[in-house]
Structures are given as structure tokens and as C-alpha cells.
Amino acid sequence: MNSYQTAERRRGGWTLRLISVVGLLAVVSVSLLAMRGLSKPEHDAVGKDAGGELTYKVTRGPLKISLLAPGSIKARNSRSITCEISNAEAKIIWIIPEGTIVEKGDKLVELEAAGLDDNLVKQRIDTATAQAAYDEAVEQLAIQESQNQSDLLAAQNKLELAELDLKKYRDGELQRLKAEKEAAISLAEAELKRAETRLEGTLMLQENEFVSRGEVEADELTVQKQRHELEKAKRDYDVLVKYEEERELSKLEQDVAAARGELERVQLSSRSELRTKQIAVESAKAKLELEQSRLQTLEHQMANTVIYAPEAGMVVYANDGNSWRGNDDEIKEGAQVRYRQKLIELPDFSSWIVETRVHESMIRQVEVGLPAIVMVDALPNQRLSALVEKIGVLPNSGGRWFMPDVKEYNVDLAVTTTTLPLKPGMSARSEIVLAELDDVLYVPVQSVATSGNQAFVWLRKDLGFVKHPIEIGRNNESFVVVEAGLNEGDTIRLNAPDQGGGRRVIERPSNSPEDAQGEAKPARSQERTAEAERDAGKPAADAPADSPLAHDSAAPAKVGEG
């Protein structure tokens, strides 16, 4: 069942109660009119006909269009004191009394953190262990860098020696060996030629019988020996050129390749080992920084078990009276507090704002810079001047769980001038002035009823009151503008009757775009009964209405259709 249906059910009971007190209303009509809070001109327009019916003479003049918004006083600037203990359960063991005026450096709160001392000692040990591991990792990295340099130098030297040995053999020793072999061949050839020449001479002497046969045989043996030496020298040269040269060059080239491969392996291994040691250092450093950060956090928390005032101000406990937690979050000695929970506010009393809430149907009429009048409940008969400073972009989510259909926007009013002794959290009612109409016809909202899409009043004619159509415009809590259908001085019934096809209504804010524009047009308005208005928190039509601030309503009333 929606709010309209609830109002319809209650309207019947309200009508019966009205009938029962009609006689009394006729007797005390003057008092009733006074309770309506009409100003002097409107009060003079109220009368009574011969039959005792209350009447109203249509009035022309200025009319203020405004809306009411409940709220509270808040300092514009405030320094929040929060609980900074996150790794342990914190309990308030002492707190400065609320309302105390403190100076910078004064003690505000003392907290007890269960297990924080033990955690701090353990963390210091972990930090020292991490520092030692980091130092060792740095030393191992230095050792690895030195070892890499030594291994790399040894491998480079080995390669250089292998290349030098190859060059030495190819360009030096091999050429020397070839030269020696070639020289041996040349010498053997010379010795063979000399032995053959000697043999020829000996043979000629033998023919003349100057030498013996034995001498000839000796020379022949010498020739054979020299021939053998020559063949041996040639074979040695061939072995050197065909086998030993290739074998030795291949061996030395392999030595060079092996030394080069060893150098590459040393380089790769050195880089790998160095990177491993560097990662170990980085890991140890990250671990150390983590432990140091944890240590700093614990030390910060330990230091914040006693909180001092960062600046001068008055102590205000950070209690949220609207919290669904009840007393669980109440700031007091012995209370358990959470990490980052607000404990104290130190407001700046030099500048104030009023935090209000405006229904979604009226929020589009509110603009930054509109004037407002603020009445503080604790300071009766005192009013503050203010200006709309900030309008919420999204509806306030607070309270949606128990009133999901009600959407209100936060609106901040900047208090412009005040010398009153304000305090944060004071309840206030604000009247935001939407428009000042200079010269308009207007009638009381309770004088207007609707039937279908048409608004009506009961206009007095010669034979009595007749149902008369009118066109209506904007309205405030008490009066609605008449755009057409009446003239100044016309007499109408003060209270429109409740008839079957038409209802006397005072419309509360709705979701209609037209209502959000602040105009109650007959074809696009939405009616609500006077009893429904009371259910929504709006005073009855006979409540004092000299100013919207006399009501507890959150938004202006409007006349419209059902």
C-alpha cells in the first residue's frame, strides 16, 4: 500500500472528526483564524457570512515562494582526530571531556592497544633479521662480482695464449721446420753429388791402377749412404708438410676454439650468477623495506596511543546520533574503537554552514546563491541569514533502508553573518526563498479543491456559494497564486468542502517534473488529503503560518489533482 492509499484510508476518519467539531469551529472561528497565522492583511480578508460559513476575500499583493528544509549547524572547517591503531584492538582508557577548549599540544585521548607492545618487539626482531639478510646478500653480490672478474680474466688469458700458440706455430715454428727440412734435402743432395763425383774419380784411377778395389768400394758405399740420407730428408719434409703441419694446426685451432667457448661460458655463467646475487639483494632489500614499514607503522601506532591536539579548538566527540549501530560507536572511556574511526572533531567556529535536506521534487528549483533564513531551535526568536552554497549531485543514501521511497538531496547553506553562540550539531530549520512575487492574486491553499484536471473554489453569488473553476500557479505553505478565474475582492469559502468528485488537498512534494518546477498546474498536479499531509509530517491547515519556519515541513505545499 502506497502513501496515497494510506492517506485515502485515513481521510474518511479525518472527515468524521471534522464533522464532529463543526459546531465548535463556528463558535471559536476567530481563534481558529488566529491559529492559521495569517498576517494582518490576510487576517482582515477572513470573514463569516450570515450562515456562519468562514469566508475569504481574494487578496492581491506580494507573495513569497519558499521551501522549508530541516537540518543542523556545522562548522565549515573542522579537524578530525582519528584512531590510527590498525593491528590491534584499541580501547579508550581516557578522553578529555567534551566541550573542553584546548590549545595546540594538549592531550586529547589515550588508547590502550592489546598486544601492541609484543607486536612491536617482534617486529623489531624481524626488522633486524631482515637487515642482516640484506647485508649478507650485498656482501655475496660483491664476492660474486670479484669472482666474475677473476674468472673472466683467466678465460680471456687462456684464449689469448691459444691464439698466440696458433700464430706462433703457423707463422714461426712451421716455417722454421720447413726450412730445416728443405736445408737437409739440399745438404743431402750436395753430399750425394760430391760422393758421386769422388766415385767417378776413383773409378778412373782404378782403370789406371792407381787405387785399389777397396777404395772404389768405399766410395761406392759413401754414394749409397748419401742417397739414403737424401731420401730420408725428402721423406721428413713430406711428413711435415702432409701430416705434422695439418695435425698441429688443427690441434692449435681446436685449443683456440675451446678457449673461446670457455670464455663465452664464463661470461654467461658470470652474468647468471651475478643476476642471482642481484635478485637476492633486491629481494632482501624489499623484505627489509617491508619490515621497516611495518615497524614504522607499529611505532606510529604506539606513538598514537596518546593523541595530542594538532591545533586549538573545542573538543566535540565524533558521535553520530543517526548511526544504525546505536551506542556501539559512542565515544566514551572504555569504548572499543576501530582503525580510522573518528574520535574527536576540532571545529573552527569562525565560519558555519547549515546542512539541510531537500526533497527530490523540489531540488530543481534550488540554485546556488539563493537566500535563506535559518532558525536554530536552541536559540528561539533568533534568525540567521544564509545563502545556498552547495547542492548534492546524488540523493542522500542515509535512511534509505527504512524509507526507500524517500529521496532527499543534501543542500549546504553558508551562514553569512552571525554573532550568535552557535555550536556544532544544533538543530535548525531553514527557509530557502525561491521567488518573491510582487503583485499577484492569491487565496489560502485550503480554499482550493480539484475535480479531474480542474481546480475549483466556492465563489459567493447571490444565491450562495457555487463551485467556480480557476487556474492556479505557484504556492507556498499557506497560499496559492490564482492565475485566472477570480478578481480581487471576490469572496470565497475559506475551507473547500469535501465532495465526491472533488477533494480539498494540500499536495506534498512528488516525483512529477512539473512539481519539481514549483508550479501546481491543474492538468499535471497530484493531490493529497489534509490528513495525508499530517501523516507526512506537515501541520494542518489551521496551524500558525505567519512564516514557513513555524512549520516542520521539509518542502512547500502545492495544490493539485488527485
Side-chain angles (χ1 to χ4, degrees):
M1 180 179 297
N2 57 33
S3 59
Y4 177 76
Q5 292 172 328
T6 302
E8 286 296 291
R9 290 186 58 186
R10 294 180 178 177
R11 183 174 61 84
W14 177 247
T15 302
L16 292 176
R17 290 196 297 272
L18 285 178
I19 294 174
S20 66
V21 297
V22 167
L24 179 61
L25 289 178
V27 175
V28 296
S29 60
V30 175
S31 299
L32 177 62
L33 293 176
M35 291 182 62
R36 295 177 188 271
L38 300 178
S39 62
K40 186 64 167 60
E42 288 85 21
H43 185 278
D44 293 341
V46 177
K48 186 167 59 174
D49 64 3
E53 180 70 39
L54 296 177
T55 63
Y56 182 84
K57 184 176 293 186
V58 178
T59 306
R60 176 180 293 277
L63 185 64
K64 180 169 64 175
I65 305 298
S66 61
L67 65 85
L68 298 179
S72 60
I73 300 294
K74 179 180 178 182
R76 179 186 298 276
N77 301 312
S78 181
R79 184 71 174 268
S80 298
I81 306 300
T82 60
C83 173
E84 297 297 328
I85 300 176
S86 61
N87 296 336
E89 294 184 357
K91 182 174 70 173
I92 299 175
I93 60 177
W94 180 87
I95 187 168
I96 193 169
E98 189 173 20
T100 303
I101 303 299
V102 297
E103 299 295 332
K104 182 178 181 180
D106 288 351
K107 182 179 177 180
L108 298 179
V109 184
E110 185 174 351
L111 302 173
E112 180 184 51
L116 184 58
D117 291 337
D118 294 340
N119 291 339
L120 184 58
V121 172
K122 181 179 180 299
Q123 188 57 45
R124 285 172 176 164
I125 295 174
D126 292 343
T127 303
T129 302
Q131 181 68 58
Y134 173 71
D135 294 340
E136 181 180 0
V138 171
E139 292 176 357
Q140 290 296 324
L141 176 60
I143 293 173
Q144 187 63 50
E145 290 175 344
S146 177
Q147 183 65 43
N148 287 352
Q149 291 178 354
S150 299
D151 294 345
L152 185 60
L153 182 60
Q156 289 174 341
N157 290 337
K158 185 176 181 180
L159 175 60
E160 291 175 357
L161 290 176
E163 291 175 342
L164 186 60
D165 287 344
L166 175 59
K167 184 177 181 180
K168 172 186 173 183
Y169 177 76
R170 184 174 55 223
D171 299 337
E173 187 173 354
L174 178 60
Q175 302 304 323
R176 179 183 63 79
L177 290 175
K178 284 184 177 181
E180 289 178 355
K181 299 303 181 182
E182 291 173 352
I185 293 173
S186 298
L187 180 60
E189 289 176 343
E191 289 294 335
L192 175 60
K193 185 176 182 180
R194 189 178 71 170
E196 289 176 344
T197 301
R198 183 179 177 81
L199 177 58
E200 290 176 358
T202 302
L203 290 174
M204 289 178 62
L205 291 175
Q206 183 185 14
E207 290 177 359
N208 295 319
E209 298 181 352
F210 291 116
V211 294
S212 62
R213 181 61 186 168
E215 291 179 349
V216 173
E217 290 177 354
D219 288 342
E220 288 178 349
L221 182 61
T222 300
V223 170
Q224 291 178 355
K225 180 180 179 180
Q226 292 304 321
R227 286 177 178 169
H228 177 72
E229 290 294 333
L230 177 59
E231 290 177 358
K232 179 178 178 302
K234 289 182 177 180
R235 285 196 300 272
D236 290 343
Y237 182 79
D238 290 340
V239 170
L240 174 63
V241 173
K242 293 181 179 180
Y243 304 106
E244 290 185 358
E245 177 183 1
E246 183 177 356
R247 176 179 176 277
E248 191 66 22
L249 284 174
S250 177
K251 176 179 177 302
L252 294 175
E253 288 173 351
Q254 289 179 359
D255 291 344
V256 170
R260 184 174 288 110
E262 180 66 18
L263 176 60
E264 292 176 354
R265 285 191 297 273
V266 169
Q267 290 174 335
L268 292 175
S269 177
S270 297
R271 284 196 294 267
S272 177
E273 293 294 333
L274 183 63
R275 183 56 185 160
T276 300
K277 294 297 189 291
Q278 288 173 341
I279 292 175
V281 170
E282 293 172 358
S283 177
K285 183 179 180 181
K287 176 67 173 176
L288 175 60
E289 290 175 348
L290 177 61
E291 299 298 341
Q292 288 175 338
S293 176
R294 290 174 176 172
L295 179 61
Q296 291 175 357
T297 300
L298 289 176
E299 289 176 342
H300 176 72
Q301 293 179 11
M302 179 61 71
N304 279 277
T305 54
V306 180
I307 304 175
Y308 299 92
E311 59 188 38
M314 186 181 77
V315 174
V316 178
Y317 291 173
N319 288 323
D320 184 4
N322 296 324
S323 176
W324 61 273
R325 290 174 175 265
N327 293 328
D328 293 347
D329 287 339
E330 183 179 359
I331 302 301
K332 61 184 179 180
E333 291 185 2
Q336 296 286 341
V337 292
R338 309 180 305 277
Y339 177 58
R340 293 295 187 184
Q341 180 179 344
K342 288 184 180 180
L343 306 178
I344 288 175
E345 295 283 350
L346 295 177
D348 178 6
F349 289 171
S350 63
S351 180
W352 299 92
I353 62 173
V354 182
E355 291 184 334
T356 66
R357 300 181 303 277
V358 175
H359 193 272
E360 63 178 339
S361 65
M362 305 301 297
I363 193 63
R364 282 173 27 183
Q365 297 188 65
V366 181
E367 298 178 355
V368 172
L370 286 179
I373 300 173
V374 180
M375 177 179 286
V376 182
D377 293 352
L379 303 172
N381 302 321
Q382 300 290 335
R383 296 188 178 187
L384 307 177
S385 298
L387 295 174
V388 176
E389 181 180 72
K390 181 181 178 182
I391 302 173
V393 178
L394 298 175
N396 188 341
S397 60
R400 286 186 181 177
W401 66 277
F402 64 90
M403 295 182 67
D405 294 333
V406 176
K407 293 182 174 60
E408 296 177 319
Y409 288 77
N410 290 334
V411 176
D412 291 348
L413 308 179
V415 177
T416 54
T417 57
T418 178
T419 57
L420 300 180
L422 300 179
K423 292 185 178 181
M426 284 183 168
S427 297
R429 291 169 292 164
S430 303
E431 178 186 3
I432 302 175
V433 180
L434 303 178
E436 295 277 1
L437 305 180
D438 294 332
D439 187 21
V440 294
L441 287 177
Y442 55 88
V443 296
V445 292
Q446 67 268 27
S447 302
V448 183
T450 61
S451 178
N453 295 328
Q454 181 64 57
F456 294 92
V457 295
W458 271 253
L459 179 63
R460 187 168 65 182
K461 299 291 186 178
D462 294 338
L463 298 179
F465 291 96
V466 296
K467 189 176 181 181
H468 182 72
I470 63 171
E471 295 181 10
I472 57 177
R474 302 181 71 171
N475 64 276
N476 60 18
E477 291 287 322
S478 303
F479 298 96
V480 57
V481 174
V482 178
E483 300 287 353
L486 291 176
N487 296 313
E488 182 178 4
D490 287 344
T491 300
I492 62 173
R493 288 184 62 169
L494 181 61
N495 297 299
D498 185 5
Q499 298 183 352
R503 290 192 295 268
R504 178 169 57 85
V505 296
I506 301 176
E507 182 192 342
R508 301 294 296 166
S510 70
N511 295 327
S512 169
E514 290 75 18
D515 294 338
Q517 294 297 327
E519 296 182 4
K521 296 184 179 180
R524 294 182 176 88
S525 57
Q526 185 180 33
E527 67 179 8
R528 299 274 297 276
T529 66
E531 181 62 18
E533 288 304 314
R534 292 181 173 83
D535 295 338
K538 180 175 182 292
D542 57 350
D546 59 339
S547 169
L549 288 174
H551 302 272
D552 291 328
S553 170
K558 303 174 76 175
V559 177
E561 67 179 19

